[in-house]
Amino acid sequence: MTSGNNMLEGKTIILGITGSIAAFKGADIASKLTRAGANVTVVMTEPACRFITPLTLESITGNQAVTSLWQETGGINHITLAEKADMVLIAPATASIIARLAGGFADDLLSCLVLATKSPVVIAPAMHTAMYENKLTGQNIQKLKECGFMIVEPGEGRLASGAYGKGRLADVEVIIGAVKLKLGVNGDLAGKKIVVTAGGTRESLDPVRYIGNRSSGKTGYEIAQAARNRGACVKLVTTAGLPGETVGMEVFEIEAAQDMLVTVRELVKDADCLIMAAAVADFKPEKPLSSKMKKSDRAVNIKLIPVPDILSEVKGKFLRVGFAAETENLEYNARLKMKNKDLDLVVANDVSGKGAGFGSDYNKVTLIYRDQTTKDYPLMAKSHVADILLDEIAGLF
Ligand code: C5P
């Protein structure tokens, strides 16, 4: 099945590359989309071919790059491409293509095919700051947004001219995140509001030290991404250091368990589901110091007190999903957690095994339901675990 994190598999994406210095990044985009299983055909404007060759893109995608309305491909280029596209992505998009699209022009292959397609269009502008900030460009971008095009805002930084400012092509990862968001809008979780927590909380000892844990935040992050890719409205409550893009998600960065509780309590008020993938501290220092604790050769006693249990504290009419990372008696402990925390679904995993759990990209989980049924899964990538979990959650909805 192609959902969530493997949603690009089998999708036909027309990648338009236009004449910006960032055209070389089109190769990276083409490569990442292709490696994710998409069938990518690159359409290049004439100026784009001055920056990067069609051969490069053909070698990466395995498909003929199309550079003109008149190129021999065995079809009517703009119509064939427009009809087979699941999505048209233009990255980088120059001020010129943006203006021509906003004006409804049909004066080259790319503009014709955008006019002819019924599929979603994502546009990632890249140009010099002055051109990007020009009122005309702003109006053109606004017009494209009103016509349903998705615009991936350029970033700030060093430009080809040596100047610094806004206009750099957005990060490739962010562009691909936007593609997934747009492709998944009508997925099986469309309209569902899902709150996901990720990462390990940090309990302050003094202004520079904290008590933390080994959670990388990958599991929660993969779940948030997969839910976004399936159309859910995702609110991600996370500790620092996310492993990737969060396009389309609302992100709340917190540190301590108490902050997570306050944020989650607010967010679940109108949520359909809470997925507590975060590794929340069980204890915190009773009295964190306001200045740095001085080094000493004597032992230090730190009194730890329990932190509130978030799942137990937040109530409401939403699906409640908890995690149980155990080193022994996996099922027994997971069931106990389900009862104590009033959960609909528990994702249990044995963190004593090698290659799974904390810090790893893989996990071996057992899903446990309220009605006592269980489902065992083999070791798999966390991105795959996220999809399986969301399949089950979609079923419970
Ligand atoms: O009790 P334990 O920490 O093993 O339970 C794990 C589950 O409970 C996870 O889903 C975790 O996010 C959640 N939890 C919580 N508040 C805490 C500790 C854990 O919601 N203070």
Side-chain angles (χ1 to χ4, degrees), residues 179-307:
V179 167
K180 290 177 176 171
L181 169 70
K182 192 79 177 164
L183 274 174
V185 160
N186 299 316
D188 61 350
L189 294 176
K192 296 292 181 207
K193 294 181 183 149
I194 302 187
V195 178
V196 183
T197 65
T201 56
R202 296 171 169 190
E203 306 302 327
S204 184
L205 267 170
D206 69 20
V208 295
R209 302 182 182 94
Y210 62 82
I211 297 179
N213 60 64
R214 295 184 209 282
S215 169
S216 62
K218 269 184 201 143
T219 298
Y221 173 74
E222 295 284 1
I223 293 169
Q225 237 201 12
R228 182 274 317 268
N229 296 349
R230 294 164 79 145
C233 163
V234 176
K235 296 188 178 171
L236 177 61
V237 184
T238 177
T239 53
L242 283 171
E245 53 83 15
T246 54
V247 179
M249 303 177 203
E250 228 181 304
V251 180
F252 301 80
E253 276 202 14
I254 51 90
E255 282 232 323
Q258 180 62 30
D259 308 332
M260 187 173 270
L261 171 64
V262 171
T263 309
V264 168
R265 191 181 267 146
E266 194 53 39
L267 296 180
V268 293
K269 283 182 182 160
D270 70 342
D272 299 299
C273 179
L274 167 64
I275 305 176
M276 280 292 302
V280 188
D282 292 321
F283 302 99
K284 65 176 180 180
E286 185 183 34
K287 290 187 181 123
L289 302 174
S290 55
S291 54
K292 188 181 169 192
M293 196 191 301
K294 288 281 174 257
K295 189 174 169 181
S296 142
D297 47 14
R298 274 185 290 158
V300 180
N301 282 320
I302 297 167
K303 187 173 175 192
L304 299 178
I305 57 167
V307 300

Side-chain angles (χ1 to χ4, degrees), residues 197 257 260 275-282 307-312 321-326 337 341 343:
T197 65
M260 187 173 270
I275 305 176
M276 280 292 302
V280 188
D282 292 321
V307 300
D309 190 281
I310 300 171
L311 272 172
S312 307
V321 181
F323 280 68
E326 305 292 341
K337 239 158 249 184
K341 303 189 189 215
L343 303 175

Side-chain angles (χ1 to χ4, degrees), residues 310-323:
I310 300 171
L311 272 172
S312 307
E313 296 265 334
V314 295
K315 308 275 181 230
K317 277 190 183 167
F318 49 87
L319 270 181
R320 305 161 61 82
V321 181
F323 280 68

Side-chain angles (χ1 to χ4, degrees), residues 132-143:
Y132 182 71
E133 289 177 348
N134 190 296
K135 211 169 167 185
L136 285 169
T137 305
Q139 284 172 357
N140 290 335
I141 288 178
Q142 184 55 30
K143 202 163 170 191

Side-chain angles (χ1 to χ4, degrees), residues 3 13 19 38 55 64 71 73 122 130 168 174 208 220 269 288 304 320 325 355 375:
S3 65
I13 297 181
L55 180 63
Q64 184 180 14
Q71 185 173 327
T73 62
V122 173
R168 280 172 64 88
V174 169
V208 295
K269 283 182 182 160
L304 299 178
R320 305 161 61 82
K375 285 188 190 174

